[in-house]
């Protein structure tokens, strides 16, 4: 998708499709309720072209609601698409992001190749933030997961242009626009990784894709395998990999901006299980095919690193992705086995399907050994987080209120929804082992929390955030602004958290 920004007035733009946003301003219900939706443009010609449909009451400007007008009078555009932002209390910058996605997903299946998206003119919506969000939303909307369909039609929107008001601050908007391109493309990079089937994206292939991306954007990258994992005494990581014919990959990326020699070193750690059968504690067949997305945490870290390399915040970042299959072969670990993690802690394996915390335990220790002063990990860690929060919020846990405050601030910009979950000694009790230091499951109740408590042991005294994205990394039904399939959740929030530490 080509992207561009223009400061010309929307009425004069000749294009296949011009999209303009509208607010739902109704206070009463019913067909006679007034006033009509408010069009968020100062352009008189656009207003008059839309006046009749707005007055008709047929279009309520609900969030992501659309109405299309052909040959709009007085405009150069062949079509005018109105997209609803919802009620003014909900009409946030994030609503602009989804509205842009909706406009793109409206355009795509109709074979239209170009779209001009007029930024909303409203005091409540800062233009640079809206421009950035619109471009992000357009990339997100443009992605479809049908990579391997032979009848896949190339119906991508070829050109997406943001139209800013002629009076806007050009350089601020252009900078925001460029950020949006980088972030939108990075989120889609993550989604394309997560979308790959397990037979294509093995741990080795994950390493190759990360290395290729790193070379492209100028990150340092090393990809290690079995020998290094054993040399580092990553007994928890290796215990998961030992049951697979596919060798694991320990992917290490570094972003070291020139001249930044002190200050924090942020450690990003991702769960990269390229397929999770459950191991000897094997999963039921129903929905097992979904477990190709069990590397979505690692995928999110790769996407965030891509965006970091291109946006160049002044803070050092290192990234560790622990990539492995979780398989039940003759060499696989068994329930009851005891493993020694890199940190020296001993782990009693109760359920081989609780493998994510095992690979992350050693990933967190290694990030600390490499000098991370702050840690963030992302993982499709537990089904229990979906039971707790549904598919609306992802789970977040932290051992440190200051670093969590930075993450919370990041959500404001990213538009992503995370809900902070509790930790506590009573939960830590639930994973004490009789034979060793800890066990890898704590039973059904509070399953997402005991998993987080497990990770917390390996974060030790380093400020740490754990993101459990199991309920949010895969979308089961199409939405107006995003296709079903991999969501790319957490990329934008991790990026903003990192930027919050830039000097
Ligand atoms: N990868 C799964 C968690 C998962 C579940 C991700 C659903 C995405 C969707 C994880 O490795 C797992 O199997 N967790 C177990 C933990 C249990 C054995 C304590 C679970 O959630 O059932
Ligand atoms: Mn599992
Ligand atoms: Zn898993």
């Amino acid at each position: 998708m080509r992207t561009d920004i223009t400061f010309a007035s929307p009425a004069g733009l000749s294009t296949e499709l011009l999209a303009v946003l509208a607010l739902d301003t109704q206070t009463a219900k019913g067909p006679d309720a007034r006033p009509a939706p408010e069009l968020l443009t100062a352009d008189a010609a656009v207003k008059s072209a839309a006046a009749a449909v707005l007055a008709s009451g047929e279009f309520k400007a609900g969030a992501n609601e659309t109405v299309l007008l052909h040959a709009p009078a007085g405009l150069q555009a062949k079509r005018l698409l109105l997209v609803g932002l919802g009620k003014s209390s909900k009409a946030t910058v994030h609503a602009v992001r989804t509205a842009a996605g909706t406009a793109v997903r409206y355009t795509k299946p109709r074979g239209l190749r170009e779209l001009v998206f007029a930024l909303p003119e409203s005091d409540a919506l800062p233009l640079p933030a809206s421009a950035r969000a619109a471009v992000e939303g357009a990339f997100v909307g443009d992605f479809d997961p049908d990579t391997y369909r032979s009848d896949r039609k190339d119906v991508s929107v070829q050109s997406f242009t943001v139209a800013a008001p002629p009076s806007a601050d050009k350089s601020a908007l252009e900078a925001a626009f460029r950020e949006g391109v980088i972030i939108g493309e990075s989120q889609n990079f993550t989604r394309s990784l997560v979308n790959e089937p397990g037979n294509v994206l093995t741990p080795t292939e994950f390493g190759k894709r990360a290395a290729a991306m790193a070379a492209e954007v100028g990150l340092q990258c090393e990809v290690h395998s079995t020998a290094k994992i054993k040399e580092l005494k990553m007994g928890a990581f290796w215990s998961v990999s030992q049951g697979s014919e596919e060798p694991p990959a320990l992917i290490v990326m570094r972003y070291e901006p020139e001249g930044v020699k002190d200050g924090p070193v942020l450690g990003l750690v991702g769960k990269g299980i390229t397929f999770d059968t459950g191991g000897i504690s094997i999963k039921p067949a129903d929905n097992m095919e979904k477990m190709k997305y069990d590397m979505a945490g690692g995928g999110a870290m790769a996407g965030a690193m891509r965006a970091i390399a291109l946006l160049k915040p002044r803070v050092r970042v290192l990234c560790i992705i622990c990539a492995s299959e979780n398989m039940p072969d003759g060499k696989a670990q068994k329930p009851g086995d005891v493993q020694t993690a890199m940190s020296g802690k001993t782990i009693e394996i109760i359920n081989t399907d609780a493998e994510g915390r095992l690979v992350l335990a050693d990933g967190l220790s290694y990030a600390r050994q490499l000098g991370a002063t702050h840690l963030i990990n992302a993982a499709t860690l537990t089904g229990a987080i979906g039971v707790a929060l549904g598919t609306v919020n992802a789970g977040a846990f932290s051992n440190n209120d200051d670093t969590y405050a930075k993450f919370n601030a990041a959500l404001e910009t990213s538009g992503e929804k995370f809900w902070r979950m509790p930790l506590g000694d009573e939960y830590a009790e639930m994973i004490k082992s009789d034979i060793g230091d800890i066990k890898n499951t704590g039973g059904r109740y509070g399953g997402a929390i005991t998993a987080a408590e497990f990770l917390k042991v390996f974060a030790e005294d380093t400020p740490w955030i754990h993101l459990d994205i199991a309920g949010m990394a895969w979308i089961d039904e199409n939405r107006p602004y995003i296709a079903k399939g991999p969501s790319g959740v957490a990329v934008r929030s991790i990026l903003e958290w990192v930027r919050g530490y830039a000097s």
Side-chain angles (χ1 to χ4, degrees):
M1 191 172 72
R2 274 185 290 111
T3 48
D4 204 352
I5 183 162
T6 176
F7 298 87
S9 83
L13 294 168
S14 53
T15 175
E16 295 278 353
L17 184 65
L18 169 66
V20 179
L21 304 185
L23 264 189
D24 175 1
T25 51
Q26 287 207 30
T27 47
K29 286 201 163 63
D32 299 328
R34 288 290 181 274
E38 178 192 345
L39 212 57
L40 297 179
T41 178
D43 192 302
V46 173
K47 277 186 172 162
S48 105
V53 72
L54 290 178
S56 73
E58 292 162 26
F59 171 70
K60 307 267 191 276
N64 301 304
E65 185 185 345
T66 51
V67 65
L68 182 73
L69 306 173
H70 275 260
L75 306 190
Q76 292 297 305
K78 289 190 187 144
R79 298 168 191 80
L80 176 62
L81 179 72
L82 307 186
V83 185
L85 268 191
K87 298 254 190 240
S88 64
S89 59
K90 301 260 166 71
T92 56
V93 169
H94 182 60
V96 176
R97 188 179 279 115
T98 63
T102 299
V104 167
R105 294 197 69 71
Y106 187 95
T107 309
K108 261 189 103 165
R110 288 168 175 84
L112 305 171
R113 298 306 175 93
E114 51 173 25
L115 166 61
V116 175
F117 183 86
L119 290 181
E121 293 179 70
S122 155
D123 291 343
L125 298 167
L127 280 171
S130 292
R132 173 188 147 174
V135 182
E136 290 170 9
F139 276 103
V140 169
D142 194 43
F143 181 99
D144 272 295
D146 57 349
T147 328
Y148 293 100
R149 278 182 74 141
S150 347
D151 64 349
R152 186 175 212 254
K153 296 180 189 70
D154 180 20
V155 291
S156 267
V157 172
Q158 283 170 0
S159 148
F160 177 84
T161 304
V162 172
S167 60
D169 175 347
K170 281 201 176 54
S171 65
L173 271 144
E174 275 161 355
F177 164 84
R178 282 192 297 269
E179 279 193 14
V181 173
I182 290 169
I183 297 165
E185 287 182 339
S186 296
Q187 185 172 343
N188 283 352
F189 171 69
T190 294
R191 293 164 85 198
S192 63
L193 290 174
V194 177
N195 196 42
E196 290 288 21
N199 63 326
V200 173
L201 198 88
T202 58
T204 306
E205 179 64 18
F206 196 171
K208 284 186 182 157
R209 303 249 181 133
M213 178 276 287
E216 209 180 292
V217 301
L219 288 169
Q220 302 172 47
C221 180
E222 296 161 18
V223 182
H224 305 287
S225 190
T226 309
K228 180 81 173 181
I229 290 165
K230 288 186 170 167
E231 181 194 313
L232 288 167
K233 300 196 158 50
M234 293 179 149
F237 186 172
W238 174 247
S239 79
V240 177
S241 307
Q242 71 185 45
S244 172
E245 287 287 320
E246 284 292 339
L250 171 63
I251 304 167
V252 183
M253 287 182 270
R254 281 190 182 81
Y255 165 72
E256 285 170 352
E258 226 168 288
V260 182
K261 291 281 168 270
D262 45 25
V265 177
L266 307 178
L268 280 46
V269 182
K271 169 178 174 181
I273 301 296
T274 59
F275 196 80
D276 182 12
T277 67
I280 295 299
S281 314
I282 197 162
K283 288 180 180 295
D286 266 6
N287 291 318
M288 205 208 270
E289 76 284 357
K290 289 279 193 59
M291 282 300 112
K292 69 173 190 174
Y293 83 81
D294 211 17
M295 40 58 69
M301 292 313 182
M305 287 303 285
R306 181 187 184 279
I308 290 163
L310 294 171
L311 292 171
K312 305 191 188 334
R314 294 190 53 76
V315 59
R316 291 171 293 171
V317 184
L318 66 92
C319 173
I320 292 166
I321 298 170
C322 301
S324 177
E325 287 186 339
N326 186 23
M327 296 286 280
D329 88 349
K331 290 215 172 67
Q333 71 175 334
K334 303 166 290 297
D337 287 1
V338 175
Q339 310 291 0
T340 305
M342 183 182 174
S343 77
K345 285 255 164 14
T346 55
I347 303 165
E348 180 188 6
I349 305 300
I350 302 297
N351 189 320
T352 65
D353 197 10
E355 84 297 342
R357 65 199 74 182
L358 297 172
V359 303
L360 287 172
D362 286 342
L364 291 166
S365 294
Y366 192 39
R368 280 167 45 84
Q369 188 186 92
L370 293 179
T373 59
H374 298 70
L375 293 165
I376 190 164
N377 73 255
T380 46
L381 203 63
T382 66
I385 198 67
V387 176
L389 298 174
T391 56
V392 177
N393 280 280
F397 301 79
S398 182
N399 62 358
N400 182 287
D401 290 344
D402 291 335
T403 200
Y404 192 78
K406 292 220 186 245
F407 186 74
N408 212 32
L411 299 179
E412 196 69 34
T413 309
S414 74
E416 295 184 318
K417 290 178 90 166
F418 283 82
W419 193 264
R420 189 174 180 181
M421 299 280 289
L423 292 164
D425 295 344
E426 301 92 327
Y427 296 108
E429 279 297 317
M430 294 163 73
I431 51 168
K432 285 209 166 134
S433 164
D434 294 333
I435 191 173
D437 295 326
I438 47 174
K439 49 187 188 180
N440 80 329
T441 69
R444 246 163 55 80
Y445 289 115
I449 307 175
T450 48
E453 283 289 348
F454 185 98
L455 297 180
K456 186 174 151 227
V457 169
F458 298 91
E460 300 188 44
D461 56 359
T462 305
W464 155 84
I465 296 171
H466 155 52
L467 306 177
D468 192 341
I469 58 171
M472 297 285 289
W474 195 267
I475 300 173
D476 285 329
E477 297 293 341
N478 281 322
R479 297 181 192 157
Y481 53 91
I482 191 169
K484 61 181 165 188
S487 68
V489 68
V491 172
R492 297 200 306 263
S493 301
I494 293 162
L495 167 69
E496 291 308 321
W497 177 77
V498 166
R499 293 173 103 190
Y501 281 93
S503 59

